[in-house]
Amino acid sequence: MDLVPALEEPLKKVLGPATAKVMAEHLGLHTVGDLLHHYPRRYEERGRLTHLADLPMDEHVTVVAQVADARLHTFASSRAPRGKGQRLEVTITDGSGRLQLVFFGAGVHKPHKELLPGTRAMFAGKVSVFNRRLQLAHPAYELLRGEGEEAVETWAGSLIPIYPATAKLESWKIGKALQTVLPSAQEAVDPLPESLREGRGLLPLPEALLKIHRPHTKADVEDARARLKWDEAFVLQVALARRRHADAQLPAVARRPKPDGLLAAFDDRLPFTLTEGQRKVSAEIFTDLATEHPMHRLLQGEVGSGKTMVALRAMLAVVDAGGQAAMLAPTEVLAQQHHRSVTEMMGELAEGGMLGGAEDATKVVLLTGSMGAAARRHALLDLATGEAGVVIGTHALIEDKVQFHDLGLVVVDEQHRFGVEQRDALRGKGKQPPHLLVMTATPIPRTVAMTVFGDLETSVLDQLPAGRSPIASHVVPAADKPHFLTRAWERVREEVDKGHQAYVVCPRIGDEEDDPKKSGKKKSAEDEAEKRPPLAVLDVAEQLARGPLRGLRVEVLHGRMAPDDKDAVMRRFAAGEADVLVATTVIEVGVNVPNATAMVIMDADRFGVSQLHQLRGRVGRGSAPGLCLLVTEMPEASAARQRLNAVASTLDGFELSRIDLEQRREGDVLGQAQSGTRSSLRMLAVIDDEDVIAEAREEAARVVAADPELTGLPALRTALDALLDEEREQYLEKG
């Protein structure tokens, strides 16, 4: 992080080529600075000194004792069949009791030479039982050559750092390497402004690095961690604050709706009243749209909280003000669905330039990659002339051929599905930067929003519109209790008998070539369930139609179908002409069929927490209660089952996103997928350190407001440059 010559020194020069190669390949560490920022994961205590008479089982202890006896035995084993195996047994005593130490194999040579009867030493290890006798196997030891009791106390009480290690490089070898480079920590340049550091009572950086790697007490560790977390949070927040500052300097056209224009006409048509939340968020958006620099807002809302309605009103406000609005959807199914629902909600207001169109009407155009040439030409012409005020489409909107008359607002649906470049390309189509509204139904904990989307202002819709029904969720353990699965299919039939419909979701389509090399290669084979390929739509649909759901109208939907076929299936299902839709996750986002009340998710353990929550949001969209059954073959004690139990136990997406994050850890908050580099967060835990992140954000905003170029803070600039290597810089640029 700190680009100073001593810290830039390649590890090859300091540690030798062999160790440096392993560190680079397995841990991504290349320089002295990288190694200094490779922090211990935890610390072992050698344990307070313990009397041999009262040794606890299975605990790490440290004892000071004298060697009473040492014997070397040879034995035959599978590894050493000719009786060449060696075992060293050492008996030690401290006057209160005796304890046996045992060393095997090549590990016997050093202790055999050093642990002679009469030698006094300190021994640290884990107490186990062998042949009904307590023993320490391969303990660490330090010979005491006439040192006083004080040295003994210090050694025993010290903390042993345990580093994130690899099979090729054990923690203690990393510790040794750190011992070599630790003196360079004195030259680390401190990125925190002095006033901030002193005001918050934080350690200087060199001291924090020394204390994190060589703590004397637990308080040392706490102080060092507090300081290093601040570094990470603050440097990241400064990067984001500079982004926001730069965006605030960009020009944009202020878009204010006419008091009696399209938006007012639309609001008058609405058959229901907006929720309090929708009104509040709309007001925030309209305020942003009325300013002369681009809006950058993230709209988070639970599945079904009415985000589309809020986005549509923003789009109409921009059309009112003479601009155009584009909505970018991640899939064709969703783009078509949005187009259908927007034109239905707008009625004659969406028929601009047509017979029967209202006076204030505009044209709503759909643009996807699979449209026929004529329809596409027509749509492109409407965009270029400004005839179409609203366009809804997929990535096809980003292509070079697409020209807008005056693009004023870009709405991106389901942010996490879109690459940053795509968002950027669409923004580049305005004469001046358009306003940007990013929507997501995957709830993001506040701290993550402050870090991942730190350059966006955040609005949250947390009320569900009136009339939404509760969803009951249950885990169906198909392997432990097969009769539960039988009952699940009975429940689906019962829902269909009541006139409702159901979804069955599978992880795979089923027409892929199964690669024998890939299947069964999963590392975490908790169980046979992990080894078999995930269930596939085509197989499951056929089995259901022939078996438990015989006689019902079962249809199939997946991503590799032709777009027209997909749309036809969705239309039939929406019209109630199919009872059960067996699909992949193409239905995850935005699909809206109020009559669908049940969902069975097969191999639910193969999906992430947020994805399951999204999928479940497809049912219970009407007045009848929803039912979601999570089918799994994973054993009860597995982590996968705990994850599913968590999903079944709450409908609160924010709570689930916390669970999801805690289980996955944060990965790289700056978007590992985008930058492909190691995590920039080594000490900061996005979930636990909410207060640090919030305070760092405030401090960063203050610093950047006073000195946007950071001219007075060269050390902070240096730290920023290191954090924002080129890829990350671009990621933030485009974010």
Side-chain angles (χ1 to χ4, degrees):
M1 202 161 164
D2 312 275
L3 297 185
V4 221
L7 274 67
E8 272 184 43
E9 191 85 54
L11 288 173
K12 198 159 54 202
K13 280 190 178 170
V14 190
L15 303 175
T19 309
K21 184 168 188 257
V22 177
M23 286 197 167
E25 285 176 6
H26 295 274
L27 297 168
L29 307 174
H30 304 279
T31 64
V32 168
D34 290 344
L35 182 53
L36 285 173
H37 288 288
H38 187 70
Y39 306 131
R41 177 175 286 143
R42 59 191 169 83
Y43 300 86
E44 284 290 357
E45 288 183 82
R46 283 203 172 89
R48 307 305 318 169
L49 293 177
T50 314
H51 286 301
L52 294 185
D54 33 69
L55 285 177
M57 273 298 299
D58 275 346
E59 280 190 27
H60 282 274
V61 297
T62 300
V63 295
V64 170
Q66 199 162 7
V67 177
D69 180 34
R71 294 174 187 209
L72 191 61
H73 302 274
T74 53
F75 60 92
S77 72
S78 57
R79 285 189 179 174
R82 293 203 187 85
K84 293 281 176 61
Q86 291 189 308
R87 180 174 77 245
L88 175 67
E89 288 176 4
V90 178
T91 307
I92 57 172
T93 175
D94 67 350
S96 73
R98 293 166 85 83
L99 177 66
Q100 189 162 38
L101 316 177
V102 50
F103 301 87
F104 291 100
V108 304
H109 305 309
K110 187 166 176 267
H112 189 219
K113 282 209 300 266
E114 293 182 336
L115 298 179
L116 305 170
T119 308
R120 197 158 171 272
M122 256 182 303
F123 303 92
K126 193 173 184 183
V127 183
S128 56
V129 172
F130 182 69
N131 277 347
R132 295 210 293 275
R133 285 167 65 189
L134 293 183
Q135 70 167 27
L136 296 182
H138 284 285
Y141 64 87
E142 189 101 327
L143 300 177
L144 297 172
R145 299 186 171 87
E147 287 125 331
E149 289 303 308
E150 221 167 287
V152 172
E153 279 293 326
T154 316
W155 189 84
S158 69
L159 297 165
I160 308 164
I162 306 295
Y163 290 95
T166 90
K168 294 265 194 298
L169 201 63
E170 299 93 340
S171 167
W172 61 270
K173 285 187 182 158
I174 296 172
K176 275 206 160 126
L178 266 150
Q179 199 68 41
T180 311
V181 302
L182 211 47
S184 305
Q186 292 305 333
E187 302 195 37
V189 174
D190 203 323
L192 292 191
E194 203 167 327
S195 56
L196 187 159
R197 200 183 73 231
E198 287 175 357
R200 294 188 172 272
L202 297 167
L203 298 179
L205 182 59
E207 194 183 329
L209 289 171
L210 287 172
K211 284 189 168 171
I212 199 80
H213 293 297
R214 290 291 169 271
H216 293 302
T217 62
K218 288 183 178 168
D220 283 353
V221 176
E222 287 312 305
D223 292 349
R225 279 192 169 147
R227 162 61 218 244
L228 295 165
K229 281 179 178 182
W230 253 94
D231 269 22
E232 289 178 6
F234 181 70
V235 174
L236 180 55
Q237 290 300 340
V238 167
L240 294 164
R242 292 186 70 205
R243 223 22 281 137
R244 288 196 301 276
H245 180 81
D247 284 338
Q249 311 309 308
L250 290 173
V253 180
R255 311 278 179 175
R256 296 183 185 86
K258 294 193 295 242
D260 51 359
L262 181 58
L263 178 61
F266 175 74
D267 283 348
D268 289 345
R269 286 180 50 92
L270 283 179
F272 51 81
T273 54
L274 298 172
T275 65
E276 183 57 39
Q278 285 174 319
R279 280 203 293 274
K280 180 175 132 289
V281 171
S282 288
E284 291 170 351
I285 291 171
F286 291 153
T287 306
D288 284 357
L289 289 174
T291 58
E292 293 186 348
H293 58 84
M295 164 172 84
H296 287 104
R297 190 166 281 281
L298 171 70
L299 172 56
Q300 297 190 56
E302 276 288 12
V303 176
S305 58
K307 290 183 301 302
T308 312
M309 172 59 69
V310 170
L312 177 56
R313 293 184 72 239
M315 291 162 82
L316 298 181
V318 168
V319 175
D320 250 355
Q324 289 169 294
M327 182 186 247
L328 202 51
T331 64
E332 295 216 349
V333 168
L334 191 53
Q336 284 160 340
Q337 167 133 353
H338 274 322
H339 182 254
R340 246 196 326 274
S341 59
V342 164
T343 45
E344 278 165 19
M345 283 195 278
M346 288 176 65
E348 72 264 26
L349 294 174
E351 294 168 2
M354 297 185 223
L355 269 171
E359 186 187 342
D360 289 308
T362 186
K363 227 181 207 180
V364 179
V365 169
L366 176 69
L367 189 64
T368 63
S370 61
M371 286 169 76
R376 189 179 171 75
R377 227 177 10 256
H378 212 91
L380 289 173
L381 188 65
D382 284 343
L383 288 183
T385 58
E387 184 87 5
V390 175
V391 57
I392 296 168
T394 54
H395 304 74
L397 280 177
I398 297 163
E399 289 168 13
D400 293 341
K401 288 196 214 66
V402 181
Q403 297 296 324
F404 288 86
H405 177 64
D406 178 13
L407 181 59
L409 170 67
V410 174
V411 178
V412 179
D413 192 21
E414 284 312 316
Q415 148 62 26
H416 64 286
R417 301 292 195 87
F418 267 105
V420 174
E421 286 76 14
Q422 295 155 324
R423 229 162 75 181
D424 202 40
L426 192 52
R427 270 162 64 174
K429 291 192 175 290
K431 294 188 177 70
Q432 283 191 327
H435 298 282
L436 175 69
L437 179 65
V438 169
M439 301 199 295
T440 176
T442 307
I444 303 163
R446 176 170 163 259
T447 44
V448 183
M450 283 193 292
T451 35
V452 184
F453 301 108
D455 58 337
L456 300 172
E457 297 301 322
T458 306
S459 298
V460 177
L461 271 178
D462 44 16
Q463 277 174 294
L464 288 188
R468 287 301 300 264
S469 302
I471 305 170
S473 306
H474 304 283
V475 177
V476 177
D480 315 350
K481 300 178 177 160
H483 59 286
F484 275 37
L485 184 57
T486 311
R487 176 75 190 116
W489 301 126
E490 286 169 6
R491 283 291 290 114
V492 169
R493 289 196 91 97
E494 286 163 17
E495 287 300 309
V496 173
D497 289 346
K498 287 183 203 157
H500 298 308
Q501 292 159 283
Y503 297 101
V504 177
V505 182
C506 304
R508 209 164 55 101
I509 297 173
D511 57 359
E512 321 72 355
E513 284 295 304
D514 276 336
D515 179 350
K517 286 206 281 291
K518 276 188 190 155
S519 60
K521 202 174 162 188
K522 281 203 125 175
K523 289 194 181 69
S524 63
E526 290 196 54
D527 182 51
E528 288 304 304
E530 277 285 295
K531 287 187 184 148
R532 65 162 174 72
L535 291 171
V537 165
L538 301 176
D539 307 341
V540 169
E542 194 182 333
Q543 287 160 13
L544 291 176
R546 284 207 317 256
L549 303 184
R550 194 169 44 244
L552 301 187
R553 297 168 299 175
V554 177
E555 292 243 20
V556 165
L557 180 70
H558 59 73
R560 277 212 289 278
M561 290 164 62
D564 289 350
D565 296 345
K566 276 194 283 205
D567 201 38
V569 169
M570 269 321 297
R571 278 178 190 278
R572 283 200 296 276
F573 190 66
E577 292 163 20
D579 301 316
V580 179
L581 186 61
V582 183
T584 55
T585 53
V586 289
I587 62 152
E588 176 188 349
V589 177
V591 169
N592 186 20
V593 180
N595 191 42
T597 52
M599 175 177 285
V600 181
I601 303 179
M602 306 303 290
D603 279 345
D605 48 272
R606 309 283 178 125
F607 299 98
V609 169
S610 297
Q611 204 174 21
L612 290 169
H613 182 57
Q614 284 283 337
L615 285 165
R616 167 171 65 186
R618 301 300 112 219
V619 295
R621 299 180 79 86
S623 51
L627 172 69
C628 178
L629 302 174
L630 306 167
V631 179
T632 178
E633 291 187 2
M634 295 306 275
E636 193 156 359
S638 63
R641 271 287 277 281
Q642 287 165 8
R643 211 169 60 232
L644 296 179
N645 291 338
V647 173
S649 68
T650 177
L651 290 171
D652 179 345
F654 285 93
E655 179 54 31
L656 287 174
S657 66
R658 283 184 82 98
I659 293 167
D660 195 17
L661 255 179
E662 278 161 6
Q663 290 193 334
R664 284 186 297 119
R665 299 311 300 151
E666 287 81 14
D668 188 350
V669 161
L670 280 189
Q672 209 155 17
Q674 274 91 347
S675 73
T677 37
R678 270 178 344 122
S679 170
S680 59
L681 297 188
R682 300 187 179 100
M683 192 55 83
L684 198 66
V686 171
I687 287 286
D688 304 333
D689 296 320
E690 182 163 342
D691 47 349
V692 177
I693 293 170
E695 288 169 27
R697 184 180 166 105
E698 282 172 29
E699 291 278 10
R702 252 200 299 280
V703 166
V704 171
D707 180 5
E709 292 305 308
L710 308 178
T711 35
L713 298 165
L716 177 55
R717 278 227 63 131
T718 305
L720 259 190
D721 294 342
L723 172 76
L724 304 178
D725 51 41
E726 269 178 42
E727 287 177 295
R728 290 218 175 99
E729 179 74 80
Q730 286 169 356
Y731 174 67
L732 284 176
E733 283 281 327
K734 293 172 179 170

